[in-house]
Amino acid sequence: MTKINNYFDYLHFTECDILGFKWEQKKEPRFNADAFSYHEVSNLLIRVKNLGILQGHPLNPPSHESSIIFWPKRCTCIFKEVQTSILQMHRYCEDPPGSQQFVPNPNQTPLEIEDVFSVDEPMNEFGIEGLYYDPVAWVDWDIKSRFFALEIDPKDERWVLTGLEYSKLHAEAKKVEVG
């Protein structure tokens, strides 16, 4: 796996698919002048695909012809030492039933899940939005964490879709090689 630290501001989440997430709890040593102790930290791993990558990010070099490329393969957004996580899910329903056409569910209020952890260090604020599939919902996610990294599978590094190709994704868009 290849891990790219930082560069969050060069990622575009609006059209991405959020495939799932998991919390990772770890104990880390804490040192101060008087004592040695352990404290728990929570890392959040969010799996996505069709992530937009803007120029300036190492995966979208300036020589590439498109200002945005879309990563059609799965990758993982890693938020380390999370202080707060506020997840809002706006559920969709199939209308008419059996049509595979989804619209916002008028009878449901958005689900909001807030997780707060005790982390003393300065935090960075991150925002993610995208489509979640199980259940079908639009996701708005605000995260405060100490670090961010994007993890990709090295065998997928060379294949991306340009913005135009992404818009034709369901019309058999061809893959282009970054190089």
Side-chain angles (χ1 to χ4, degrees):
M1 293 292 174
T2 299
K3 210 178 269 189
I4 301 168
N5 294 318
N6 304 318
Y7 291 97
F8 183 85
D9 291 338
Y10 295 92
L11 300 176
H12 177 75
F13 286 90
T14 304
E15 286 88 12
C16 83
D17 301 325
I18 299 172
L19 304 172
F21 64 93
K22 73 176 183 176
W23 286 99
E24 203 178 59
Q25 304 253 348
K26 294 185 175 184
K27 288 193 179 269
E28 292 193 354
R30 177 178 281 174
F31 302 94
N32 62 35
D34 302 321
F36 167 80
S37 62
Y38 284 94
H39 70 288
E40 280 192 21
V41 296
S42 294
N43 299 332
L44 177 59
L45 288 72
I46 303 173
R47 288 179 298 128
V48 299
K49 73 175 186 176
N50 297 327
L51 179 62
I53 300 172
L54 303 171
Q55 273 194 341
H57 192 281
L59 295 174
N60 189 351
S63 62
H64 197 273
E65 78 269 2
S66 181
S67 62
I68 186 169
I69 58 174
F70 290 88
W71 207 261
K73 301 290 184 177
R74 293 178 180 169
C75 52
T76 303
C77 297
I78 302 170
F79 298 91
K80 292 186 177 182
E81 297 186 31
V82 174
Q83 182 184 49
T84 59
S85 164
I86 301 172
L87 169 63
Q88 289 186 346
M89 296 181 85
H90 305 268
R91 300 275 307 261
Y92 282 73
C93 63
E94 197 172 12
D95 186 30
S99 68
Q100 293 294 312
Q101 295 178 359
F102 292 88
V103 298
N105 188 339
N107 301 321
Q108 186 171 350
T109 58
L111 171 66
E112 183 170 305
I113 302 169
E114 183 172 352
D115 296 297
V116 179
F117 304 94
S118 176
V119 178
D120 301 335
E121 303 295 326
M123 295 290 126
N124 299 304
E125 294 185 25
F126 303 100
I128 290 181
E129 60 183 5
L131 188 60
Y132 195 79
Y133 282 98
D134 189 19
V136 177
W138 180 257
V139 168
D140 287 308
W141 207 332
D142 294 318
I143 302 163
K144 281 187 180 179
S145 73
R146 189 150 176 231
F147 302 106
F148 170 78
L150 180 66
E151 188 175 78
I152 58 169
D153 189 332
K155 67 179 176 250
D156 294 334
E157 281 183 32
R158 301 189 58 79
W159 298 102
V160 296
L161 298 173
T162 65
L164 179 60
E165 289 169 330
Y166 180 79
S167 67
K168 297 177 180 177
L169 183 63
H170 297 291
E172 298 182 331
K174 65 176 185 161
K175 293 182 178 179
V176 295
E177 189 171 333
V178 176

